[in-house]
Amino acid sequence: MEMDQLVALCKRRGFLFQSSEIYGGLQGFWDYGPLGVELKRNVREAWWRDMVTAHNELEAPPGAPEAYEMTGLDCAIIMHPQVWKCSGHYDLFHDYMVDCRESKRRYRHDQLYGRWVEAKGQRIFVATEAGGEEGLAETQQKALKFFNLRSKEADELAWDGPLVSLTTVKDLSRVLGPNAKQLGTLTEPREFNLMFKTIVGALGGDEDAAYLRPETAQGIFVNFKNVLDSSRVKIPFGIAQIGKSFRNEITPRNFTFRSREFEQMEIEFFCHPKTSAAWYQYWRDRRYRWYVDLGLAGDRLRLREHEAAELSHYSCGTADIEYAFPFLPAGEFGELEGVAHRGDFDLRSHMEGKLIRQGDELVLELDAEGKPRYRGSGKDLTYFDDLTQERYTPHVIEPSAGADRATLAFLCEAYTEDEVPDEHGKPTKRVLLRFHPRLAPIKAAVFPLVKKDGMPEVAQEIYQALKPHFNVFYDEKGAVGRRYRRQDEAGTPFCITVDGQTLSDGTVTIRDRDTLRQWRVRKEDCLAEIRQRLNG
Ligand code: ATP
């Protein structure tokens, strides 16, 4: 599948629009249309139901070391600025960017690749935004142009090594930027904090600066004590939150994959330090299975453990759940969710102040005068176990997913083209979205075969009977074949059609989106039939 086809379908059928499109759009911001809003709600609701409300705290699910509790939160987007100082985001949540003086383009330093090449006595580094095969082809084209060579003179280019990251290049004066004609137009990399800054209050100055949260997790940590005191939960337990996060990404791209405003679905799971390694394994596997159960399967989904060198300063284990999005070069995967063992880093940071790693220890970061660089809340965020009489700072396992990336992966996976016979039996191309029924924006569509003979009245009756239970759609316009095709494109798993036979024997046909199989049921059994099929 070409990504362009999916993007066009999303716009045509109302899944996704560019934000403020009539004004030319705003890069990195997206709006969900009538079908998109239902799809994303279903993703969020499936997550909340599977992780929180349907979770049975009396029984340990398969793979879990013991039974546990789950609860939820919904925190404010703007929090006390000290939260971000202690969490490390204020100092450390940045990317490096480079600007091109010639093309005026801005790039993320770690997202540029390139190759060293020598020709006509000059050795240069040809940079590109593309990785893999595409990057190789692009660097070749650019090098030919730069050295004024024709394609058949390509063997005059002496390549030195494979495609590597621009971060490996020390001397930028020999770099040919991705959109530049001259050498040395890229600036030295500069740090850029990804948090959106805002001012609180009408008279506010810079001392009233606050930040739009770049993750939902910190709201959970700072409410740890409130949840403990108000809900009688006992360790092990998890707190879940779904909400908007904001990151001023340098290069938002790949549709909604890298947006500046997006939604996260995060769990902070609090456990005893002795069992935290087992809980990490459990959450990693459980979260991977969730995507599989909702239809992401096969070789496009993978679970990747981070190498020790890749781990954050506080983490003793992190795995990414990744999907081979079609906009990535062959063989590359993009992150859907990170599952991290965070130790006691977060709770201690909010008690003590900003922590840094010294050898194997986490210690308070001090300023030049030997005082804490950022003070924590000073509140006691430890846990006391009544049974064992033990007091400790819980360890945290964090499965952190993106609702928009998950929605995009489900869209990519669902997009299918096949050939089906039209009304006259001639094979015609069909585009369909094979969503898992739980995720489908519309669960069933109801059609009268023709707009006469009392068929619309019966179809309306069925539509009204189903409507209180799930999202259904009524359509009586145009040829029935076209109506089926429109529902296939929307990903509707079932179409119910009232026809001539309905008027004599009270049965209707139900058509399956994927197999095209049709069968008859009594019209008053539609609700039970669809409900049973939606529940698998
Ligand atoms: P990346 O490396 O792709 O920038 P990250 O490792 O910074 O992602 P986390 O901080 O672990 O991401 O955030 C958890 C989840 O939030 C990600 O797995 C992703 O699903 C989602 N997410 C993060 N940044 C964005 C973004 N800019 N747009 C959409 N979703 C995002």
Side-chain angles (χ1 to χ4, degrees):
M1 189 251 301
E2 293 296 326
M3 200 57 201
D4 293 352
Q5 294 166 301
L6 180 67
V7 173
L9 173 73
C10 283
K11 164 125 206 248
R12 188 170 75 243
R13 294 309 315 272
F15 281 96
L16 275 157
F17 309 124
Q18 217 186 348
S19 159
S20 331
E21 195 189 72
I22 60 167
Y23 287 100
L26 188 61
Q27 223 198 343
F29 297 91
W30 295 93
D31 297 337
Y32 287 80
L35 287 179
V37 67
E38 296 293 340
L39 173 63
K40 192 169 151 192
R41 279 177 74 104
N42 292 342
V43 171
R44 281 195 307 246
E45 275 164 23
W47 185 88
W48 192 267
R49 197 180 142 68
D50 295 347
M51 298 300 124
V52 186
T53 48
H55 168 72
N56 179 2
E57 64 212 38
L58 304 175
E59 268 174 36
E66 58 195 299
Y68 63 90
E69 296 179 65
M70 286 299 293
T71 180
L73 259 186
D74 186 13
C75 307
I77 284 170
I78 295 181
M79 302 171 69
H80 194 294
Q82 197 67 9
V83 168
W84 307 111
K85 292 187 172 156
C86 291
S87 70
H89 286 82
Y90 185 77
D91 286 342
L92 300 170
F93 195 57
H94 51 234
D95 280 332
Y96 285 90
M97 60 183 178
V98 290
D99 287 307
C100 176
R101 284 181 283 257
E102 185 188 314
S103 66
K104 307 289 177 233
R105 295 274 303 268
R106 175 164 287 175
Y107 311 97
R108 231 173 87 175
H109 189 219
D110 62 343
Q111 283 179 353
L112 290 189
Y113 310 90
R115 285 176 90 191
W116 286 102
V117 63
E118 194 169 340
K120 300 186 173 175
Q122 197 180 8
R123 186 167 183 268
I124 68 166
F125 184 86
V126 186
T128 163
E129 287 180 88
E133 290 295 318
E134 208 181 312
L136 289 176
E138 215 164 276
T139 45
Q140 163 110 345
Q141 283 308 318
K142 288 199 63 199
L144 287 172
K145 212 163 184 184
F146 179 82
F147 288 112
N148 223 347
L149 295 169
R150 282 170 296 168
S151 304
K152 58 181 178 199
E153 297 167 314
D155 49 6
E156 287 190 31
L157 297 171
W159 294 100
D160 181 4
L163 210 60
V164 290
S165 168
L166 179 70
T167 54
T168 60
V169 179
K170 298 282 164 294
D171 179 6
L172 292 181
S173 69
R174 288 157 69 193
V175 173
L176 179 64
N179 295 287
K181 293 196 180 70
Q182 291 170 21
L183 283 187
T185 60
L186 296 184
T187 59
E188 286 299 319
R190 280 184 293 147
E191 239 175 54
F192 175 76
N193 194 299
L194 300 179
M195 285 198 293
F196 278 99
K197 199 170 177 181
T198 187
I199 300 291
V200 176
L203 298 173
D206 220 34
E207 66 283 5
D208 299 306
Y211 302 90
L212 306 192
R213 66 179 176 204
E215 60 171 38
T216 60
Q218 298 304 322
I220 300 180
F221 296 126
V222 302
N223 276 296
F224 172 70
K225 201 84 189 150
N226 282 337
V227 172
L228 264 189
D229 294 347
S230 61
S231 64
R232 297 169 57 199
V233 281
K234 294 228 175 314
I235 274 182
F237 72 93
I239 306 180
Q241 171 161 231
I242 299 181
K244 289 268 178 144
S245 292
F246 301 80
R247 296 183 188 178
N248 201 358
E249 298 279 0
I250 297 170
T251 47
R253 60 173 160 188
N254 292 335
F255 212 14
T256 57
F257 181 82
R258 191 170 299 289
S259 310
R260 288 178 165 141
E261 174 176 343
F262 55 95
E263 216 159 346
Q264 289 186 307
M265 309 186 288
E266 296 195 291
I267 295 171
E268 304 304 327
F269 189 81
F270 300 94
C271 56
H272 191 283
K274 278 199 191 126
T275 49
S276 61
W279 281 113
Y280 165 66
Q281 302 275 336
Y282 166 74
W283 279 106
R284 206 194 54 178
D285 299 344
R286 168 110 199 262
R287 291 300 307 143
Y288 178 80
R289 244 186 1 256
W290 187 78
Y291 293 98
V292 174
D293 290 347
L294 285 173
L296 297 191
D299 45 8
R300 284 188 293 276
L301 189 71
R302 76 173 182 193
L303 185 66
R304 185 180 67 85
E305 281 284 347
H306 283 209
E307 310 273 324
E310 241 185 303
L311 293 180
S312 327
H313 53 293
Y314 45 73
S315 182
C316 18
T318 298
D320 285 345
I321 300 168
E322 300 179 326
Y323 183 71
F325 286 96
F327 47 75
L328 297 171
E332 281 191 28
F333 288 72
E335 176 182 327
L336 279 181
E337 169 161 352
V339 183
H341 181 303
R342 297 176 63 94
D344 59 4
F345 174 79
D346 305 279
L347 290 177
R348 274 188 58 198
S349 303
H350 289 302
M351 282 193 278
E352 301 167 30
K354 189 183 165 211
L355 300 173
I356 49 169
R357 187 169 282 287
Q358 223 166 59
D360 284 344
E361 296 282 298
L362 284 172
V363 296
L364 208 54
E365 187 180 5
L366 302 177
D367 64 15
E369 291 165 20
K371 297 205 194 94
R373 178 153 163 73
Y374 299 122
R375 277 181 201 286
S377 66
K379 299 282 185 295
D380 180 9
L381 304 180
T382 58
Y383 177 80
F384 182 70
D385 189 325
D386 297 332
L387 279 179
T388 60
Q389 297 287 300
E390 186 189 3
R391 181 171 290 284
Y392 59 90
T393 308
H395 273 196
V396 168
I397 312 300
E398 178 189 77
S400 169
D404 306 86
R405 283 197 192 168
T407 303
L408 184 58
F410 289 125
L411 270 165
C412 292
E413 184 78 24
Y415 186 96
T416 313
E417 287 179 8
D418 64 6
E419 244 181 29
V420 295
D422 69 4
E423 295 87 294
H424 315 290
K426 198 173 122 223
T428 40
K429 194 184 109 180
R430 168 176 85 137
V431 173
L432 71 156
L433 292 175
R434 285 177 186 262
F435 291 126
H436 187 288
R438 283 182 78 189
L439 301 182
I442 302 169
K443 308 299 183 198
V446 189
F447 308 149
L449 183 64
V450 288
K451 221 167 114 184
K452 55 181 187 191
D453 302 336
M455 291 185 206
E457 287 75 7
V458 181
Q460 271 291 338
E461 225 178 86
I462 298 171
Y463 169 69
Q464 296 299 345
L466 299 186
K467 211 169 165 41
H469 303 277
F470 33 77
N471 196 20
V472 273
F473 185 78
Y474 176 80
D475 190 3
E476 57 178 27
K477 291 184 219 79
V480 75
R482 299 232 350 244
R483 281 181 265 161
Y484 283 143
R485 228 41 62 75
R486 279 185 64 76
Q487 292 309 313
D488 290 341
E489 268 194 350
T492 308
F494 304 105
C495 290
I496 300 166
T497 306
V498 173
D499 55 16
Q501 197 178 324
T502 314
L503 307 176
S504 58
D505 70 3
T507 65
V508 295
T509 65
I510 298 187
R511 168 189 180 267
D512 180 287
R513 174 197 66 200
D514 301 339
T515 62
L516 297 177
R517 192 171 78 81
Q518 299 203 15
W519 65 100
R520 296 197 80 90
V521 299
R522 292 188 321 156
K523 64 179 192 236
E524 50 282 9
D525 292 341
C526 283
L527 176 61
E529 174 83 10
I530 302 285
R531 187 183 264 157
Q532 188 227 323
R533 284 173 188 272
L534 289 176
N535 294 336

